[in-house]
Every structure is written in structure tokens, then in C-alpha cells.
Amino acid sequence: MLLYRTRLLGNAGALMLGLSCAGVANAAPDDVFMQAEPATGEFTAFRVEASYDMVNNAMDIFNSQGGVPDNAGNYRGGRLMLGYKFSPKWSASATYWRRGIDYGPDNNQIDSWMLALHYDPLAEPGARDRLMLRFSLWGDRAGSLTRSSSLKARNATFNSVTVNDANDIQGQADVIFSGDLTERNKLTGFIGLGVSRVTIGGLNTRLQQGGCNFDVSIGTDNVANGSLAAPCRVGNVNVQSASFSTDAGQYGINVHDDFNYTAGYLNLGGSWRWKYENFSARLGYQFQYLLRSNVDSRASAYGNSPIKSNHTLGLELSYAVVKNVEVFLRGQGSLHNFVGTIPFLYNAATAGKMDRYYGYGSIGIRFSGF
């Protein structure tokens, strides 16, 4: 089981402008574990899978902190999937994730979702080979993401930053094939294509100007509106109120080009499963290649190298308690942490800080019946 958090994500996962919390390849979450067959006996009409995901300092076996808060990169989340089979060849599923990521005093919550339709042209009980087509919509949302500590972004230093209304939505199509090598060994391969759209609603921050602190909001029009946060003294003058409105470009920020973008991606990989009586083990690999619009050229302007690809490894150990009920332990790790699985974490400013590998573990149960 891969329970680790390596090269800790202190600065790496600061969300939006390196902005909010510690910092998963544009591909839906858990794609490394895709298969074209039921996991719990012959999937009849109804299927449920639930898991709890986490990593923390106690589970970080590499103890790789160094210069960041003790809880930086702590991650916990829950996942619930409901599936329903309409006919021998057609089924659908709905999945919801609730995620939390810590960085010092900040805890940021992210909601993720996925709707998928599956077509299995080779479906029949006991089939050795299975082929599945999956069409899915999935996305992530956070009403706000906060980083309390100071942050330097090109031409200015921000004392705290909140990103508002971070959203992404993806459309993805996958082809998945699973075939038996022997009675105990099965191989799965998959390939997928998708498109992605990432948006944010704007930024709130605190900025020092002329010796005074200002509360500043930057909207999608890239206008920075500031108002005096507290009375201050400039020279011999006590300033009780002040405001300004200016183009945020003077600070090196372009909200539209830095944080809002469209992407296309290729997703491919496979897995090997070994099964003995009620026990099974599965080892999976996933590769992703990404093409994005404006954001990568903006990342280069920030002096960062855009991340064009990612690699993910996954290991699952499961045990069939009874025919249609399995419990499982999972671990997965990515070369470039949450690049793509939560796409809005990637932007022009974070691109250079997202090259840390990252992993987390899961414990769960799946059930099929009725």
C-alpha cells in the first residue's frame, strides 16, 4: 500500500497563484484503477463503492518535511459511488468526493463529482474478455481557497490570498479492455481523450502600498480595487481612509490568462490483477499528456516550466468477504501531485511548483447485488 507524502508540497500545492493550500494528470480521479469487468462478482443491477482517503505526517514514511508546517500536505477525503445497470450492456454511475487539504492554519475543502455512462458490448456472465466504453463528465469546485501566509508573486508581495469560485469541468471518453491471461491473472488496458475548462471568479488579498495595508479584490476584468484596511501614518499624515483602482497587470497578474483556460488531454495505461480464492492484488500505471491554451505560455513568462505530462502508479489489495462484497486497501502516487485530477490547482503561477510527487492511501468497501 502506498501511504506516503513525498517531497512535501509546501509551496507546491499553494492553490491558485501558489495561493492557498498545500498541494492529483488530466484524468478522472482513480482512473489508474479502471477495469472493464465487475469487481464484485457479476454486477447485477445495483453497485456501491465507498472509501476514505488520507495521508498525514504519521503516514509520511519518507518524513520529507523541511521548512514547511507539520501539517503541510495533509489530505483526507471521502468517496461514494453509486452504479446502476439498465441492461446487460448499459450501465451508469454517479460519484462524489469530499476532499480537505491542510497547510498551516488553512484548511481548504474541495467538492468533486463524476457522472459516467458505460457500454459493454461483450457483456455476458463468465466472459473471459471484456470491452467497455465509458463516457463521463466530471469536475471540481471550491467556493473559496485561502492561504494565510505571505506570498510573493512577480511584482508584489501579498500578505494573504483567497481565491473565489474555483471550478473545472471535464468531458472524457475511454476505451477499456480486460482479458484473462490465466485463471488467476488478468490484464487491463485503457486509452482516453478529454477536454477541460478551468475558471475562477477572482481574488481577494491584502497588499501594502506606500506603507499602508489595503484589502484588494481582483475580478475577472483584472481590475484591482483596494480600500484601506486600517488607519495608517504616511510621513506626518494620519490616513483614515483611502482607496485605489488599477489594472492588476502592474503586479504581474492577469486573472483571465493566468487562471482561466481550456485544455485537451490523452490518458492511457493498464493494470495487472492477480487473484487467489477470495484475495486479489492489482498493480496499475497511468500516463497523461496535456495540451493547454494560454496558461502555459503565461507560466513561461513567470519563469516556470509548464507540466505537459504525468505518471501515476496504483496498488490495490482486496478481499471478498462474500460473493458480492469486497473490502480493499489502495495506494496511489503521482509524479506531479494533483496536476489534473483537480485541474484548477494548476495555473500559470503554480506550474513551476507542481513538480512534487505525492501519494495517499484509501480504505474502502464495494457491494453489488439486487
Side-chain angles (χ1 to χ4, degrees):
M1 197 166 98
L2 306 172
L3 295 179
Y4 55 84
R5 174 189 51 184
T6 55
R7 290 175 66 190
L8 206 77
L9 306 177
N11 293 330
L15 308 178
M16 303 308 197
L17 194 58
L19 301 183
S20 48
C21 63
V24 229
N26 266 17
D30 299 325
D31 271 4
V32 69
F33 297 111
M34 281 197 299
Q35 58 185 11
E37 58 168 342
T40 51
E42 286 301 332
F43 173 27
T44 52
F46 185 66
R47 184 163 57 110
V48 179
E49 183 170 307
S51 67
Y52 179 72
D53 317 317
M54 70 176 297
V55 69
N56 57 32
N57 190 48
M59 299 168 66
D60 178 13
I61 63 173
F62 292 94
N63 193 27
S64 54
Q65 307 241 51
V68 297
D70 287 342
N71 69 341
N74 281 5
Y75 173 89
R76 71 214 150 277
R79 179 176 68 96
L80 177 65
M81 186 279 296
L82 303 177
Y84 186 77
K85 193 167 188 177
F86 302 104
S87 71
K89 294 184 177 182
W90 290 95
S91 64
S93 63
T95 310
Y96 171 73
W97 290 260
R98 178 66 168 175
R99 311 165 185 265
I101 309 176
D102 295 335
Y103 187 87
D106 303 320
N107 171 255
N108 290 286
Q109 300 294 321
I110 299 170
D111 296 300
S112 304
W113 58 273
M114 180 176 178
L115 299 174
L117 181 66
H118 311 88
Y119 175 65
D120 186 353
L122 304 181
E124 59 181 65
R128 292 174 59 86
D129 299 328
R130 307 295 286 264
L131 176 68
M132 182 175 289
L133 307 179
R134 186 186 75 169
F135 308 95
S136 60
L137 288 174
W138 59 277
D140 306 277
R141 184 183 186 280
S144 65
L145 299 164
T146 300
R147 173 168 174 154
S148 301
S149 55
S150 62
L151 174 75
K152 184 174 179 61
R154 298 184 69 182
N155 303 334
T157 298
F158 302 101
N159 294 318
S160 65
V161 180
T162 297
V163 177
N164 302 311
D165 296 324
N167 288 274
D168 60 65
I169 185 169
Q170 287 68 231
Q172 184 172 326
D174 302 284
V175 180
I176 312 153
F177 177 80
S178 295
D180 286 341
L181 290 180
T182 66
E183 183 180 353
R184 295 180 180 176
N185 293 274
K186 182 180 290 286
L187 289 180
T188 293
F190 57 85
I191 185 169
L193 294 172
V195 294
S196 175
R197 178 61 181 165
V198 175
T199 61
I200 71 165
L203 313 174
N204 292 328
T205 185
R206 180 162 287 190
L207 183 64
Q208 189 173 78
Q209 295 275 74
C212 297
N213 287 318
F214 287 81
D215 291 324
V216 180
S217 64
I218 306 174
T220 54
D221 58 1
N222 213 48
V223 174
N225 294 299
S227 59
L228 192 66
C232 61
R233 188 174 181 86
V234 179
N236 296 322
V237 179
N238 290 319
V239 180
Q240 299 296 320
S241 65
S243 63
F244 67 85
S245 181
T246 188
D247 189 335
Q250 70 171 299
Y251 309 122
I253 295 176
N254 184 312
V255 170
H256 180 270
D257 289 343
D258 292 347
F259 305 110
N260 299 284
Y261 60 92
T262 301
Y265 57 91
L266 167 69
N267 174 38
L268 59 88
S271 65
W272 164 66
R273 191 187 75 173
W274 177 81
K275 186 174 183 179
Y276 179 73
E277 295 183 349
N278 291 346
F279 174 81
S280 66
R282 186 153 44 121
L283 179 65
Y285 166 76
Q286 177 188 13
F287 170 78
Q288 301 89 26
Y289 184 76
L290 307 99
L291 292 173
R292 306 180 188 89
S293 58
N294 47 279
V295 69
D296 278 346
S297 60
R298 290 288 295 175
S300 298
Y302 272 68
N304 298 324
S305 297
I307 297 174
K308 295 290 190 180
S309 63
N310 202 1
H311 304 267
T312 301
L313 285 175
L315 174 66
E316 177 185 284
L317 306 176
S318 62
Y319 183 80
V321 181
V322 295
K323 178 182 178 181
N324 290 333
V325 178
E326 281 187 346
V327 294
F328 63 86
L329 295 175
R330 278 181 176 176
Q332 59 180 302
S334 293
L335 184 63
H336 298 303
N337 60 68
F338 288 120
V339 172
T341 301
I342 310 177
F344 65 58
L345 302 189
Y346 183 95
N347 56 65
T350 61
K353 302 180 179 68
M354 298 289 285
D355 62 343
R356 277 66 169 175
Y357 47 94
Y358 188 83
Y360 62 92
S362 308
I363 183 170
I365 187 171
R366 42 181 173 249
F367 167 81
S368 68
F370 309 135

